[in-house]
């Protein structure tokens, strides 16, 4: 796939001609031309032949140059600046200066009797020559219409400029002929007849058509310039300078000159010049520019920071990981630009019409003139009807209906932390019927936290926590880290544990304040005879809620329970409610056991849960769900990448793995699940806007062309002057672009105007546990291994990862409830090897059957 810059296009017909020319080049698989950005994306079946592409475009009457390679440069702000409006404004002013005196004489003086010098007013030849000279001057000022239009006709690729040029030229040539007839009458002394011919001149129509079309072009260019405001705003965020440390000294350099690995300093109030890792210092960083999140994020040593975010209150010393051209900001700009360059499927109908629009209008024009002549009308009257058809027809409104809405919509998404990679993704997201949500890191936070602290009778919370902190401080288990993180919230004095020992599969032990202390699962407490029925029941209830209960004892006495779980995000329940309110069916897809999955689903408000799904089978599950409607898969992990690709729309949490982000069609810069509903909401609004634009474009031409041709004259007596036809044409594209700009005021985060569509019905047999449902067929064998010592889902994941690393093991399904692992193998693996791997992982292997 390669990008090209295209020059010389003025309307949707030009866009269609370029596409047709490039599509005919051998090896070209697909081509998408954007009139809005004057660019082209070409997809090849074979190695790219850049010269063949450029030659094809050149033969069609336009220019093309590769936007990639050694001589290419990344897009700059100047590429999106509105360069057309100032030029058109100058043309318009010059045209008006010439048009006003022309209209005063041709309309005011001749038709309405406005005062003119008597010698001039009584000389029809002088009036005719006056109009000829001023009209010719207006045509010279607007020569671009004629150059582009007739060039298109010569290349058999007529465009909108061809219609304008033909209409204006026809009026001018006819008027010149009339002027010659006037001269002949004057020479014969027939001055009354010569004066009568003044009413047959259409010089003012020729000049007025050009001026009005220029007005429309200027309004259109100005509005189109505003559609790229989002990209320009993002580019403005890029910092200009950086304070780097070179040779032990602080040096200020342009940000684009920074190198990966360089150390730099960011002072309070400054913009961070590159993506980096904090080496020292603490500060709050405002990331609103990238994520839309208004609350500053605290940063400390080891944390990552992004270019263009604002350091608020403390100095930071950082090391650059990605510099200018490769930062998160640059990737966002590239995504927004690509979304505007690519073409949405909904635009194909308009493209097909645009491709044949101008030739069809020319044919209709000829038929119109001929019919009115055959009906006995004068040549001038028939010509006026034909010119009206030419100048009222507007292919631009059709061509702009989709791309302007896509450009504004993708920019609005970027402002709110939702990035659509292509126009197709922006269109398809709003059609989502089924939202498939991964559990870990998507619905949940993705890291364990303390959820409950339950003390035994006669034990205070402070006493329980002091024992827990002392024991878990030296443990490397993920659950131990969750307990130690609680120390930042609830600070308790404690003495470090002596004689610390990890008990694989059970917990930890040590001496705290001279007393023997234990921490771990229920089995270790049962073995020591410390677990009471009451505490066991409370622990079981916590397990049913998807939490992992950890029991702590000291000096032969049970102190209490601290439960740890991967809790759902604060906005997950709201996100699910919003999706359901929009008519989207919500399904949770997870590799966790059924009990944990149902518990999390209940908390998030998801009643359709598919559990026990192996990573390799997530894609198959998504494929099955796709049979019942358009699917959107939301995930953040490496194991989600195949499912993200399989779904109709893949949505990646921006904080997730790079592989998931690459595989997705939509990227959420924040880790908020509510941004999923925001993406769907924005897509639906963009689709609605496109439908409005297409309706207006088709309606305008379907009504305007018959009106201009005179079809309504016998019925209603409606007769359209060519000048009014030009005025209507000049406003049609402006209306389409202005309507698209309304998207700038749309808030995708607000659910007030959500409308539900009919939900799809999912069969019950696809829901629930997926243990047997998605088993693979083929020459495989299974073994079931008893594993003791697993305490939580992190242990399950550890065992699973260790087993699947064995050569010959295709997958391992580990169950915390059953304390076993079902191993699927493509070849026989020695039992002793399997047991050794489990033992090395820190657990106790049992029998293998």
């Amino acid at each position: 796939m390669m990008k090209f810059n295209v020059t010389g296009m003025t309307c949707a017909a030009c866009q269609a001609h370029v596409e047709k020319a490039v599509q005919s080049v051998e090896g070209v698989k697909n081509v998408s031309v954007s009139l809005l950005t004057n660019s082209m994306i070409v997809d090849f079946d074979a190695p790219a032949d850049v010269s063949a592409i450029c030659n094809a475009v050149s033969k069609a009457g336009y220019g093309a140059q590769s936007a990639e390679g050694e001589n290419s440069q990344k897009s700059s702000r100047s590429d999106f600046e509105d360069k057309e409006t100032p030029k058109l404004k100058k043309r318009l002013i010059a045209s008006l200066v010439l048009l006003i005196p022309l209209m005063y004489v041709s309309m005011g003086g001749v038709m309405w009797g406005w005062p003119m010098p008597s010698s001039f007013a009584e000389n029809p030849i002088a009036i005719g020559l006056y109009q000829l000279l001023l009209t010719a001057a207006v045509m010279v000022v607007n020569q671009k219409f004629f150059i582009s239009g007739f060039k298109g006709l010569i290349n058999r690729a007529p465009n909108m400029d061809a219609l304008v040029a033909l209409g204006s030229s026809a009026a001018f040539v006819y008027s010149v002929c009339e002027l010659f007839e006037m001269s002949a009458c004057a020479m014969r002394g027939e001055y009354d007849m010569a004066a009568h011919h003044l009413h047959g001149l259409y010089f003012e129509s020729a000049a007025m058509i050009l001026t009005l079309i220029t007005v429309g072009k200027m309004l259109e260019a100005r509005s189109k310039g505003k559609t790229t405001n989002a990209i320009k705003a993002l580019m403005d965020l890029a910092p200009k300078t950086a304070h780097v440390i070179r040779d032990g000294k602080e040096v200020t350099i342009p940000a684009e000159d920074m190198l990966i690995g360089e150390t730099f300093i960011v002072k309070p109030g400054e913009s961070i010049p590159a993506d980096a890792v904090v080496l020292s210092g603490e500060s709050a960083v405002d990331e609103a520019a990238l994520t839309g999140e208004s609350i500053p994020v605290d940063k400390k040593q080891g944390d990552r920071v992004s270019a263009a975010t604002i350091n608020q209150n403390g100095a930071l010393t950082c090391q650059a990981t990605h510099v200018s051209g490769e930062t998160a900001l640059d990737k966002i700009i590239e995504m927004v630009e690509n979304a505007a360059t690519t073409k949405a499927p909904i635009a194909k109908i308009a493209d097909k019409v645009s491709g044949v629009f101008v030739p069809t209008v020319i044919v209709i024009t000829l038929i119109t003139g001929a019919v009115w002549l055959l009906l006995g009308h004068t040549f001038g009257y028939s010509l006026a009807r034909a010119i009206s058809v030419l100048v009222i027809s507007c292919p631009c409104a059709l061509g702009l209906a989709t791309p302007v809405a896509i450009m504004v919509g993708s920019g609005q998404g970027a402002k709110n932390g939702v990035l659509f990679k292509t126009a197709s993704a922006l269109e398809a997201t709003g059609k989502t019927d089924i939202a498939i949500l991964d559990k870990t890191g998507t619905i949940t936070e993705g890291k364990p936290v303390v959820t409950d602290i339950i003390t035994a009778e006669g034990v205070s919370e402070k006493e329980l926590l002091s024992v827990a902190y002392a024991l878990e401080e030296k443990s490397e288990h993920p659950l131990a880290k969750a307990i130690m993180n609680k120390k930042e919230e609830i600070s308790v004095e404690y003495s470090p544990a002596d004689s610390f020992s990890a008990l694989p599969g059970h917990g930890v032990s040590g001496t705290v304040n001279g007393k023997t202390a234990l921490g771990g699962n229920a089995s270790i407490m049962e073995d020591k005879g410390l677990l009471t029925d009451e505490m066991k029941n409370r622990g079981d209830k916590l397990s049913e809620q998807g939490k992992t209960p950890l029991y702590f004892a000291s000096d032969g006495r049970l102190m209490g329970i601290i439960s740890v779980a991967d809790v759902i995000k604060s906005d997950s329940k709201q996100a699910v409610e919003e999706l359901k309110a929009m008519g989207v069916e919500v399904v949770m897809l997870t590799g966790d056991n059924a009990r944990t999955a149902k518990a999390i689903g209940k908390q998030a408000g998801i009643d359709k849960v598919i559990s026990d799904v192996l990573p390799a089978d997530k894609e198959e599950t998504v494929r099955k769900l796709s049979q019942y409607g358009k699917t959107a898969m939301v995930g953040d992990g490496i194991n989600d990448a195949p499912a993200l690709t399989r779904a109709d729309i893949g949505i990646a949490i921006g904080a997730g793995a790079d592989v998931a982000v690459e595989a997705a069609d939509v990227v959420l810069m924040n880790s908020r699940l509510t941004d999923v509903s925001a993406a769907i909401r924005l897509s639906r609004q963009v689709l609605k806007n496109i439908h409005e634009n297409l309706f207006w474009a088709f309606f305008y031409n379907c009504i305007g062309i018959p009106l201009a041709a005179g079809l309504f004259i016998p019925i209603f007596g409606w007769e359209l002057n060519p000048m009014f036809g030009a005025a209507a044409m000049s406003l049609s594209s402006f209306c389409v672009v202005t309507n698209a700009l309304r998207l700038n005021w749309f808030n995708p985060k607000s659910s007030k105007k959500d409308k539900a569509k009919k939900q799809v019905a999912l069969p019950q047999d696809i829901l629930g546990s997926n243990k047997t449902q998605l088993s693979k067929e083929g020459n495989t064998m299974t073994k079931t291994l008893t594993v003791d010592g697993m305490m939580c889902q992190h242990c399950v994941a550890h065992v699973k990862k260790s087993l699947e690393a064995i050569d010959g093991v295709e997958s391992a399904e580990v169950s915390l409830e059953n304390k076993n692992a079902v191993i699927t193998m493509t070849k026989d693996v020695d039992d002793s090897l399997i047991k050794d791997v489990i033992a090395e992982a820190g657990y106790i292997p049992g029998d293998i059957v």
Side-chain angles (χ1 to χ4, degrees):
M1 189 174 289
M2 184 174 288
K3 184 177 179 181
F4 293 80
N5 295 321
V6 182
T7 58
M9 295 191 299
T10 59
C11 70
C14 299
Q15 174 183 296
H17 294 314
V18 173
E19 284 187 354
K20 185 177 179 180
V22 176
Q23 195 72 59
S24 64
V25 177
E26 185 177 356
V28 172
K29 181 180 178 182
N30 188 39
V31 58
S32 175
V33 179
S34 172
L35 176 64
L36 194 63
T37 58
N38 289 314
S39 58
M40 172 175 65
I41 299 291
V42 183
D43 194 7
F44 298 88
D45 277 330
D49 187 347
V50 176
S51 60
I53 298 293
C54 295
N55 289 337
V57 175
S58 179
K59 287 179 181 178
Y62 307 92
Q65 184 178 13
S66 174
E68 302 175 8
E70 294 181 1
N71 298 324
S72 66
Q73 297 179 343
K74 71 170 186 173
S75 298
S76 63
R77 196 186 194 285
S78 62
D79 294 331
F80 298 96
E81 290 288 352
D82 180 10
K83 303 180 183 70
E84 282 299 307
T85 300
K87 296 177 184 177
L88 289 166
K89 188 176 181 180
K90 290 179 181 178
R91 274 171 52 186
L92 178 60
I93 292 172
S95 298
L96 288 172
V97 169
L98 296 166
L99 181 67
I100 291 172
L102 170 61
M103 294 300 292
Y104 182 90
V105 171
S106 62
M107 301 296 289
V110 175
M111 295 183 67
W112 302 327
W114 288 2
M116 292 189 296
S118 57
S119 58
F120 180 73
E122 295 171 0
N123 188 341
I125 302 299
I127 294 174
L129 289 173
Y130 174 85
Q131 294 184 44
L132 170 67
L133 292 173
L134 287 179
T135 302
V138 173
M139 294 173 79
V140 171
V141 169
N142 294 283
Q143 60 185 282
K144 189 173 181 180
F145 288 123
F146 299 94
I147 295 172
S148 173
F150 289 119
K151 187 178 180 181
L153 288 171
I154 293 169
N155 289 306
R156 291 186 296 178
N159 52 25
M160 189 204 78
D161 288 346
L163 298 179
V164 175
L166 285 173
S168 181
S169 298
F172 183 80
V173 170
Y174 175 76
S175 299
V176 170
C177 293
E178 283 288 296
L179 187 56
F180 276 111
E181 184 63 27
M182 286 173 58
S183 302
C185 290
M187 291 175 66
R188 293 194 299 266
E190 300 172 356
Y191 292 105
D192 290 341
M193 183 60 70
H196 176 74
H197 277 289
L198 277 176
H199 298 284
L201 297 180
Y202 285 93
F203 284 122
E204 78 285 351
S205 293
M208 180 64 83
I209 287 169
L210 294 172
T211 304
L212 287 173
I213 298 300
T214 302
V215 171
K217 284 280 188 182
M218 188 189 76
L219 293 174
E220 179 188 326
R222 186 177 180 185
S223 298
K224 281 166 64 177
K226 291 181 180 179
T227 64
T228 59
N229 281 351
I231 293 181
K232 289 184 282 190
L234 287 170
M235 289 181 169
D236 288 340
L237 294 174
K240 303 298 184 290
T241 59
H243 309 300
V244 299
I245 305 298
R246 291 182 177 175
D247 299 327
K249 297 181 181 179
E250 180 182 326
V251 182
T252 301
I253 63 170
E256 58 265 25
D257 292 343
M258 282 189 67
L259 303 174
I260 294 176
E262 276 199 302
T263 301
F264 62 91
I265 296 172
V266 187
K267 300 171 184 177
E270 290 185 341
S271 178
I272 296 174
D275 292 355
V277 175
V278 178
L279 298 178
S280 64
E282 294 185 2
S283 181
V285 175
D286 182 359
E287 298 181 336
L290 295 187
T291 66
E293 181 59 62
S294 59
I295 301 174
V297 180
D298 292 330
K299 300 291 183 179
K300 59 182 184 302
Q301 183 179 353
D303 289 342
R304 293 186 176 274
V305 292
S306 299
T309 55
I310 307 297
N311 179 31
Q312 291 199 324
N313 48 27
L316 294 175
T317 301
C318 310
Q319 185 177 46
T321 56
H322 296 90
V323 294
S324 179
E326 301 175 351
T327 64
L329 175 65
D330 292 311
K331 290 178 181 177
I332 291 172
I333 293 171
E334 183 181 3
M335 285 186 194
V336 176
E337 188 179 347
N338 285 343
T341 304
T342 55
K343 190 162 292 183
I346 196 173
K348 291 180 180 178
I349 298 174
D351 288 345
K352 288 180 180 178
V353 174
S354 298
V356 297
F357 185 87
V358 175
T360 303
V361 168
I362 293 174
V363 171
I364 294 173
T365 299
L366 295 173
I367 293 173
T368 298
V371 168
W372 284 109
L373 280 173
L374 292 173
L375 290 175
H377 289 272
T378 64
F379 184 81
Y381 182 89
S382 303
L383 181 65
R385 304 285 72 73
I387 292 173
S388 296
V389 172
L390 283 173
V391 297
I392 201 172
S393 307
C394 185
C396 285
L398 284 170
L400 291 171
T402 300
V404 291
I406 293 292
M407 172 66 89
V408 179
S410 58
Q412 188 69 357
K415 289 179 185 177
N416 289 276
V418 179
L419 302 179
F420 298 94
K421 288 187 177 180
T422 63
S424 297
L426 179 52
E427 178 184 339
T429 302
K431 299 176 181 178
T432 299
D433 297 310
I434 306 167
I436 307 167
L437 310 181
D438 176 51
K439 182 183 77 69
T440 306
T442 301
I443 297 174
T444 66
E445 293 288 354
K447 56 184 178 181
V449 296
V450 172
T451 57
D452 302 272
I453 300 175
I454 302 172
T455 58
E457 187 176 351
V459 179
S460 68
E461 183 179 282
K462 182 178 180 181
E463 290 173 319
L464 172 60
L465 288 174
S466 64
V467 172
Y469 290 161
L471 287 173
E472 302 294 3
E473 184 179 39
K474 297 182 178 181
S475 175
E476 295 181 358
H477 196 283
L479 300 186
K481 293 179 182 179
I483 292 176
M484 294 312 296
N485 288 336
K486 191 70 175 177
K487 188 175 69 170
E488 297 180 6
E489 184 182 332
I490 305 177
S491 180
V492 174
E493 291 185 5
Y494 64 94
S495 301
D498 297 321
S499 304
F500 175 83
S501 176
L503 307 174
H506 293 289
V508 292
S509 67
T511 303
V512 180
N513 293 326
K515 300 175 183 178
T516 300
L518 292 172
N521 57 21
S523 63
I524 191 174
M525 297 300 166
E526 285 180 325
D527 292 343
K528 300 295 182 181
L530 302 176
L531 187 61
T532 63
D533 290 339
E534 179 189 354
M535 296 303 280
K536 186 177 186 305
N537 290 335
R538 299 184 77 169
D540 290 342
K541 289 181 179 179
L542 292 171
S543 296
E544 290 172 1
Q545 298 171 18
K547 302 174 182 178
T548 300
L550 299 177
Y551 300 82
F552 291 91
S554 177
D555 197 23
R557 179 188 179 191
L558 184 64
M559 304 289 288
I561 304 172
I562 299 178
S563 70
V564 177
D566 183 9
V567 298
I568 69 169
K569 295 176 181 177
S570 59
D571 68 331
S572 290
K573 189 171 183 179
Q574 178 190 345
V576 172
E577 290 174 351
E578 288 184 4
L579 288 170
K580 288 182 176 180
M582 297 166 75
V584 178
E585 191 68 80
V586 183
V587 177
M588 184 172 79
L589 185 64
T590 178
D592 273 352
N593 62 74
R595 186 170 71 173
T596 301
K598 287 180 180 178
I600 296 296
K602 186 177 181 180
Q603 293 175 42
I606 302 173
D607 52 5
K608 293 178 174 60
V609 176
I610 303 177
S611 61
D612 301 286
V613 182
L614 300 175
D617 292 327
K618 282 190 174 183
E619 180 192 13
E620 177 68 11
T621 307
V622 172
R623 186 188 66 77
K624 288 189 174 184
L625 288 169
S626 295
Q627 297 173 6
Y628 303 97
K630 297 290 185 181
T631 55
M633 174 69 195
V634 186
D636 71 328
I638 293 175
N639 62 342
D640 295 323
L644 289 168
T645 304
R646 167 61 69 179
D648 295 297
I649 285 293
I651 302 177
I653 302 293
D658 289 343
V659 175
V661 172
E662 288 297 322
D665 303 293
V666 182
V667 179
L668 309 180
M669 292 302 294
N670 298 303
S671 293
R672 290 195 301 260
L673 197 56
T674 47
D675 283 350
V676 175
S677 55
I680 295 174
R681 194 176 291 119
L682 177 59
S683 174
R684 289 183 179 180
Q685 188 65 23
V686 170
L687 277 173
K688 179 183 176 183
N689 192 279
I690 290 173
H691 289 146
E692 292 170 350
N693 288 344
L694 287 173
F695 172 79
W696 165 253
F698 280 110
F699 175 80
Y700 165 81
N701 284 292
C702 289
I703 296 298
I705 292 175
L707 175 64
L711 289 183
F712 299 129
I713 293 175
I715 306 172
F716 305 108
W718 295 348
E719 183 179 312
L720 187 69
N721 186 292
M723 289 186 286
F724 291 110
M729 193 255 220
S730 68
L731 292 174
S732 60
S733 297
F734 173 69
C735 291
V736 165
V737 179
T738 303
N739 185 51
L741 289 174
R742 291 192 305 114
L743 289 169
N744 282 316
W745 288 276
F746 177 72
N747 179 13
K749 301 289 180 71
S750 174
S751 60
K752 292 180 180 179
K753 296 182 179 180
D754 284 349
K755 293 181 180 179
K757 64 177 184 177
K758 186 178 180 181
Q759 286 187 318
V760 298
L762 297 177
Q764 196 60 36
D765 62 356
I766 204 171
L767 305 173
S769 176
N770 222 45
K771 287 182 179 178
T772 59
Q773 185 179 322
L774 296 173
S775 60
K776 293 187 175 181
E777 297 179 358
N779 298 320
T780 60
M781 59 183 299
T782 61
K783 291 183 179 181
T784 302
L785 165 70
T786 302
V787 183
D788 197 10
M790 295 188 295
M791 299 167 53
C792 63
Q793 289 302 317
H794 294 278
C795 298
V796 170
H798 190 194
V799 171
K800 180 180 178 62
K801 183 178 180 181
S802 300
L803 288 172
E804 291 181 345
I806 301 173
D807 182 34
V809 173
E810 184 179 83
S811 63
E813 189 175 342
V814 184
S815 172
L816 181 62
E817 291 176 333
N818 301 327
K819 295 184 178 180
N820 66 9
V822 178
I823 309 167
T824 303
M825 300 168 290
T826 56
K827 64 181 181 180
D828 191 18
V829 180
D830 189 77
D831 291 355
S832 60
L833 174 60
I834 295 174
K835 290 185 177 183
D836 288 344
V837 168
I838 294 299
E840 288 176 9
Y843 304 93
I844 304 171
D847 296 332
I848 296 180
V849 294

